[in-house]
Short mmCIF file of all heavy atoms in Angstrom, two decimals:
data_model
loop_
_atom_site.label_atom_id
_atom_site.label_comp_id
_atom_site.label_asym_id
_atom_site.label_seq_id
_atom_site.Cartn_x
_atom_site.Cartn_y
_atom_site.Cartn_z
N ILE A 1 120.70 134.11 126.02
CA ILE A 1 120.87 135.25 125.11
C ILE A 1 119.54 135.98 124.91
O ILE A 1 119.49 137.22 124.89
CB ILE A 1 121.45 134.80 123.76
CG1 ILE A 1 122.89 134.33 123.95
CG2 ILE A 1 121.40 135.94 122.74
CD1 ILE A 1 123.82 135.34 124.58
N ASN A 2 118.46 135.24 124.77
CA ASN A 2 117.15 135.87 124.54
C ASN A 2 116.75 136.79 125.69
O ASN A 2 116.14 137.84 125.47
CB ASN A 2 116.08 134.80 124.33
CG ASN A 2 116.15 134.18 122.94
OD1 ASN A 2 116.69 134.78 122.02
ND2 ASN A 2 115.62 132.97 122.79
N LYS A 3 117.10 136.40 126.91
CA LYS A 3 116.76 137.24 128.06
C LYS A 3 117.56 138.54 128.06
O LYS A 3 117.14 139.55 128.64
CB LYS A 3 116.98 136.49 129.37
CG LYS A 3 115.97 135.36 129.60
CD LYS A 3 116.04 134.82 131.01
CE LYS A 3 115.32 135.69 132.02
NZ LYS A 3 115.15 135.05 133.34
N LEU A 4 118.73 138.52 127.40
CA LEU A 4 119.61 139.69 127.40
C LEU A 4 119.62 140.44 126.07
O LEU A 4 120.39 141.39 125.90
CB LEU A 4 121.04 139.27 127.77
CG LEU A 4 121.21 138.71 129.18
CD1 LEU A 4 122.66 138.33 129.43
CD2 LEU A 4 120.75 139.71 130.24
N LEU A 5 118.76 140.05 125.14
CA LEU A 5 118.72 140.73 123.84
C LEU A 5 118.55 142.25 123.96
O LEU A 5 119.16 143.01 123.21
CB LEU A 5 117.61 140.14 122.96
CG LEU A 5 117.93 138.82 122.24
CD1 LEU A 5 116.72 138.32 121.48
CD2 LEU A 5 119.13 138.98 121.31
N PRO A 6 117.70 142.74 124.90
CA PRO A 6 117.57 144.20 125.03
C PRO A 6 118.88 144.89 125.40
O PRO A 6 119.09 146.05 125.04
CB PRO A 6 116.52 144.36 126.14
CG PRO A 6 115.74 143.08 126.13
CD PRO A 6 116.74 142.03 125.78
N VAL A 7 119.75 144.20 126.13
CA VAL A 7 121.06 144.77 126.47
C VAL A 7 121.87 145.01 125.20
O VAL A 7 122.44 146.09 125.00
CB VAL A 7 121.84 143.84 127.42
CG1 VAL A 7 123.26 144.38 127.66
CG2 VAL A 7 121.11 143.66 128.74
N TYR A 8 121.87 144.01 124.33
CA TYR A 8 122.64 144.12 123.09
C TYR A 8 122.03 145.15 122.14
O TYR A 8 122.74 145.86 121.43
CB TYR A 8 122.76 142.75 122.42
CG TYR A 8 123.17 141.66 123.38
CD1 TYR A 8 122.48 140.44 123.43
CD2 TYR A 8 124.21 141.86 124.29
CE1 TYR A 8 122.84 139.46 124.34
CE2 TYR A 8 124.56 140.87 125.20
CZ TYR A 8 123.87 139.68 125.23
OH TYR A 8 124.22 138.70 126.14
N GLU A 9 120.71 145.24 122.18
CA GLU A 9 120.03 146.25 121.36
C GLU A 9 120.41 147.65 121.85
O GLU A 9 120.62 148.58 121.05
CB GLU A 9 118.51 146.06 121.44
CG GLU A 9 117.71 146.98 120.55
CD GLU A 9 118.03 146.84 119.07
OE1 GLU A 9 118.38 145.72 118.63
OE2 GLU A 9 117.94 147.86 118.35
N GLY A 10 120.52 147.80 123.18
CA GLY A 10 120.95 149.07 123.74
C GLY A 10 122.36 149.44 123.30
O GLY A 10 122.65 150.60 122.97
N ILE A 11 123.26 148.47 123.26
CA ILE A 11 124.64 148.71 122.80
C ILE A 11 124.63 149.17 121.34
O ILE A 11 125.34 150.12 120.98
CB ILE A 11 125.51 147.45 122.98
CG1 ILE A 11 125.67 147.13 124.46
CG2 ILE A 11 126.88 147.63 122.32
CD1 ILE A 11 126.39 145.83 124.76
N LYS A 12 123.82 148.51 120.52
CA LYS A 12 123.74 148.90 119.10
C LYS A 12 123.28 150.35 118.96
O LYS A 12 123.80 151.10 118.15
CB LYS A 12 122.78 147.96 118.35
CG LYS A 12 123.30 146.56 118.14
CD LYS A 12 122.25 145.69 117.45
CE LYS A 12 122.70 144.26 117.33
NZ LYS A 12 121.64 143.39 116.76
N LYS A 13 122.29 150.72 119.76
CA LYS A 13 121.77 152.09 119.69
C LYS A 13 122.82 153.10 120.10
O LYS A 13 122.95 154.18 119.51
CB LYS A 13 120.51 152.22 120.56
CG LYS A 13 119.27 151.52 119.99
CD LYS A 13 118.09 151.64 120.94
CE LYS A 13 116.84 151.00 120.36
NZ LYS A 13 116.30 151.76 119.21
N VAL A 14 123.59 152.77 121.14
CA VAL A 14 124.66 153.67 121.58
C VAL A 14 125.73 153.77 120.49
O VAL A 14 126.22 154.86 120.18
CB VAL A 14 125.28 153.17 122.91
CG1 VAL A 14 126.55 153.97 123.23
CG2 VAL A 14 124.28 153.28 124.05
N LYS A 15 126.08 152.63 119.92
CA LYS A 15 127.12 152.59 118.88
C LYS A 15 126.76 153.50 117.71
O LYS A 15 127.62 154.18 117.13
CB LYS A 15 127.33 151.16 118.40
CG LYS A 15 128.52 150.97 117.44
CD LYS A 15 129.82 151.18 118.18
CE LYS A 15 131.00 150.83 117.28
NZ LYS A 15 132.30 151.05 117.98
N ASN A 16 125.49 153.52 117.37
CA ASN A 16 125.03 154.34 116.25
C ASN A 16 125.16 155.84 116.51
O ASN A 16 125.12 156.63 115.57
CB ASN A 16 123.56 154.01 115.92
CG ASN A 16 123.42 152.66 115.26
OD1 ASN A 16 124.37 152.13 114.67
ND2 ASN A 16 122.24 152.06 115.36
N GLU A 17 125.30 156.22 117.78
CA GLU A 17 125.33 157.64 118.12
C GLU A 17 126.67 158.11 118.68
O GLU A 17 126.80 159.25 119.09
CB GLU A 17 124.21 157.97 119.10
CG GLU A 17 122.83 157.72 118.50
CD GLU A 17 121.75 158.57 119.14
OE1 GLU A 17 122.07 159.58 119.78
OE2 GLU A 17 120.57 158.20 118.99
N THR A 18 127.65 157.20 118.74
CA THR A 18 128.97 157.61 119.22
C THR A 18 129.93 157.72 118.04
O THR A 18 129.76 157.04 117.02
CB THR A 18 129.54 156.62 120.25
OG1 THR A 18 129.48 155.30 119.71
CG2 THR A 18 128.75 156.67 121.53
N LYS A 19 130.92 158.57 118.20
CA LYS A 19 131.88 158.81 117.12
C LYS A 19 133.26 158.31 117.51
O LYS A 19 133.67 157.21 117.19
CB LYS A 19 131.89 160.30 116.77
CG LYS A 19 130.54 160.79 116.24
CD LYS A 19 130.56 162.30 116.01
CE LYS A 19 129.19 162.78 115.53
NZ LYS A 19 129.14 164.25 115.37
N ASP A 20 134.00 159.15 118.23
CA ASP A 20 135.38 158.82 118.56
C ASP A 20 135.53 158.08 119.89
O ASP A 20 136.59 157.54 120.18
CB ASP A 20 136.22 160.10 118.61
CG ASP A 20 136.24 160.80 117.25
OD1 ASP A 20 136.21 160.10 116.22
OD2 ASP A 20 136.27 162.05 117.24
N GLU A 21 134.47 158.09 120.71
CA GLU A 21 134.59 157.47 122.03
C GLU A 21 134.66 155.95 121.91
O GLU A 21 134.01 155.35 121.06
CB GLU A 21 133.39 157.83 122.91
CG GLU A 21 133.14 159.32 123.09
CD GLU A 21 132.24 159.89 122.02
OE1 GLU A 21 131.73 159.11 121.19
OE2 GLU A 21 132.07 161.13 122.01
N ALA A 22 135.43 155.35 122.81
CA ALA A 22 135.40 153.90 122.93
C ALA A 22 134.06 153.50 123.55
O ALA A 22 133.47 154.26 124.32
CB ALA A 22 136.54 153.42 123.82
N LEU A 23 133.57 152.33 123.21
CA LEU A 23 132.33 151.82 123.79
C LEU A 23 132.68 150.58 124.62
O LEU A 23 133.07 149.54 124.09
CB LEU A 23 131.31 151.47 122.70
CG LEU A 23 130.00 150.82 123.13
CD1 LEU A 23 129.37 151.56 124.31
CD2 LEU A 23 129.03 150.75 121.97
N ILE A 24 132.58 150.73 125.93
CA ILE A 24 133.00 149.68 126.85
C ILE A 24 131.80 148.81 127.24
O ILE A 24 130.81 149.31 127.76
CB ILE A 24 133.65 150.28 128.11
CG1 ILE A 24 134.86 151.15 127.72
CG2 ILE A 24 134.08 149.18 129.08
CD1 ILE A 24 135.46 151.93 128.88
N GLY A 25 131.93 147.53 126.98
CA GLY A 25 131.01 146.54 127.53
C GLY A 25 131.65 145.95 128.77
O GLY A 25 132.86 146.09 128.99
N PHE A 26 130.88 145.27 129.61
CA PHE A 26 131.51 144.74 130.83
C PHE A 26 130.78 143.51 131.35
O PHE A 26 129.63 143.22 130.98
CB PHE A 26 131.58 145.82 131.91
CG PHE A 26 130.24 146.26 132.46
CD1 PHE A 26 129.67 145.64 133.56
CD2 PHE A 26 129.55 147.32 131.88
CE1 PHE A 26 128.45 146.05 134.07
CE2 PHE A 26 128.33 147.75 132.39
CZ PHE A 26 127.78 147.11 133.48
#
């Protein structure tokens, strides 16, 4: 998880700026 923390931080940043769009992880 520690090696991938920046990935999750990126998702959080995107989430903060999206409104009606779905946010797809994969």
